Amino acid sequence: MSVPPQVKWYQKDSFIGLIIEIVDPKRESVKVDLTESSVHFEAESSSGKYEFDITLYKKVDPKRFDTKIKDRRIKVVIAKAEDCHQEWSRLTPDKHRWLKFDVDSVDLTDEETIAARKLEDAKRKLEDEHGPLPQDTKVQHMSSMLNSDDITRDLEEAEKEMYDMLKNSYLTIYNSVVWLGYFYVFFVSLLRVAIEGTGAIKTNYATMSWLLRSCQQTVFLEIIHSVTGLTKTSTFATFAQVVGRAIVLFCVVDAEPSLQTSLSCYLLVVAWCAVEVVRYPYYIVQIYELYFPKLMWLRYNVWVPLYPIGLICEASLVYQCIELVSQSGRLTVTLPNSLNVAFDFSLFLKIYLAAPAIGGLFLLMHMGYQRTKAMKKLAKLKQMEDVYHKQKDLIDIRKKKESKKAK
């Protein structure tokens, strides 16, 4: 079953043009039949068969027309008949939802002239359909000239474009700000050890904790991003990662000064930040659908050594914290109390200690699956890029040979 495609039309003094929007049309299936007062069109693509017939408002020369087929559209230019070179007020006397005038083709710079011309066209169309009308009736019925479906669709498209622009701008700013924070912690942590030696390991967290806490607090927004659909990430995976890091950072490391001077704490901070230094730039280029193969390779390979290091350091710090909490009773609620509720934080940490083992296993499996897909995609893109370059080289060689022959 065939359906009419979306068609835009425009005109110049001596011809009319049709822009038929079909993605990847099959060239051999494109058929245009003309008479002096009608156009018949047929075409096929991977998405189906398209066809339409229109009766023209005035006459054309059926022997003088040209068809150009491109990837996303077909352009048909038809010469007007000799006695019909004046401006047409419409393309067809009939109304079609899929046919509209191509406003972008109007070659005018004065906005008032454009507005006046549109108003005059609307009046002319109204009089052609209903005959001469009183002035008040013309104004009252002017809105009937507008295609409500087209207006609704255009408004929806404009709203979507505005939403996408605002969303992309916000996500770009968010990812850039968080990346700057993590990059500063990562760079300074390595630089201090390089300059001051291993002694800087003990004081690194105390120096960088304010910024690390700020970054982790900001990252809670990613849960909202996932829930509201701003990003396409899994809500459960995002929640588990953000909350898991928050527990380790705020309830374990930040609350126990004795843990902050350990090597495990230093390696954990560096591993966390190293992953984020690659992840957030990758998110930014994904927003705008850009392709950077090296960044993509880093995104899906840098975690291979860093995630296990981070999981081992988390488990080590949580294990050490259990003994400290058992002695201090921090965050532990005992009975009796007014709420009649008991909570043993050391027991909670013992249960949570299984998270790096169980959750970490699933995380590594998930990332491994994502890495496999990404590497296949990279290999395919590399293959396509090689084919493109080979074809380009062959074209360049052919052009050089033709230029030599011409000389």
Side-chain angles (χ1 to χ4, degrees), residues 133-383:
L133 297 174
Q135 182 65 29
D136 292 344
T137 307
K138 289 182 183 180
V139 175
Q140 189 177 30
H141 290 278
M142 193 61 68
S143 61
S144 67
M145 298 306 306
L146 301 175
N147 188 322
S148 60
D149 292 334
D150 286 345
I151 293 174
T152 302
R153 183 171 60 251
D154 291 343
L155 286 174
E156 289 176 351
E157 289 177 357
E159 289 176 358
K160 186 178 183 303
E161 288 178 3
M162 179 62 70
Y163 170 77
D164 289 341
M165 183 187 72
L166 293 174
K167 181 187 75 171
N168 293 344
S169 299
Y170 164 73
L171 290 176
T172 301
I173 294 171
Y174 167 80
N175 288 318
S176 299
V177 169
V178 179
W179 176 82
L180 284 172
Y182 279 118
F183 177 78
Y184 181 83
V185 175
F186 175 72
F187 179 75
V188 173
S189 296
L190 295 180
L191 185 64
R192 291 184 70 241
V193 171
I195 296 174
E196 302 175 19
T198 56
I201 292 175
K202 295 184 178 181
T203 60
N204 184 69
Y205 184 83
T207 305
M208 295 287 101
S209 60
W210 66 274
L211 185 54
L212 194 61
R213 286 194 299 266
S214 299
C215 290
Q216 185 59 45
Q217 290 165 352
T218 306
V219 166
F220 272 96
L221 289 172
E222 294 184 15
I223 300 175
I224 300 175
H225 296 168
S226 180
V227 171
T228 57
L230 279 177
T231 58
K232 297 180 181 179
T233 54
S234 166
T235 302
F236 175 77
T238 303
F239 179 85
Q241 184 175 17
V242 172
V243 173
R245 280 196 180 184
I247 291 174
V248 174
L249 181 63
F250 296 113
C251 299
V252 176
V253 178
D254 204 58
E256 297 292 345
S258 61
L259 298 178
Q260 299 171 10
T261 59
S262 65
L263 178 62
S264 296
C265 179
Y266 176 81
L267 291 177
L268 180 65
V269 170
V270 172
W272 277 358
C273 293
V275 170
E276 310 302 14
V277 163
V278 174
R279 183 164 70 102
Y280 285 104
Y282 178 76
Y283 285 168
I284 292 173
V285 301
Q286 286 292 102
I287 293 171
Y288 300 100
E289 298 180 353
L290 301 176
Y291 171 58
F292 290 91
K294 292 182 180 179
L295 182 60
M296 186 177 181
W297 186 91
L298 283 173
R299 168 71 179 99
Y300 289 101
N301 285 278
V302 75
W303 65 268
V304 175
L306 294 177
Y307 271 31
I309 292 174
L311 291 171
I312 292 171
C313 291
E314 284 184 28
S316 173
L317 292 168
V318 171
Y319 180 78
Q320 295 176 61
C321 188
I322 291 173
E323 182 64 28
L324 296 173
V325 170
S326 299
Q327 296 175 2
S328 64
R330 181 172 58 84
L331 296 179
T332 298
V333 179
T334 58
L335 293 172
N337 57 66
S338 57
L339 298 176
N340 198 31
V341 173
F343 176 74
D344 188 344
F345 186 54
S346 63
L347 178 61
F348 170 80
L349 290 178
K350 291 176 183 177
I351 298 172
Y352 179 80
L353 190 59
I358 300 174
L361 178 62
F362 282 105
L363 178 63
L364 293 174
M365 289 173 63
H366 172 72
M367 290 300 297
Y369 174 71
Q370 295 295 328
R371 180 182 179 275
T372 301
K373 288 202 306 182
M375 292 302 103
K376 287 182 179 179
K377 184 177 180 180
L378 269 177
K380 187 175 180 180
L381 291 172
K382 182 67 168 61
Q383 186 179 8

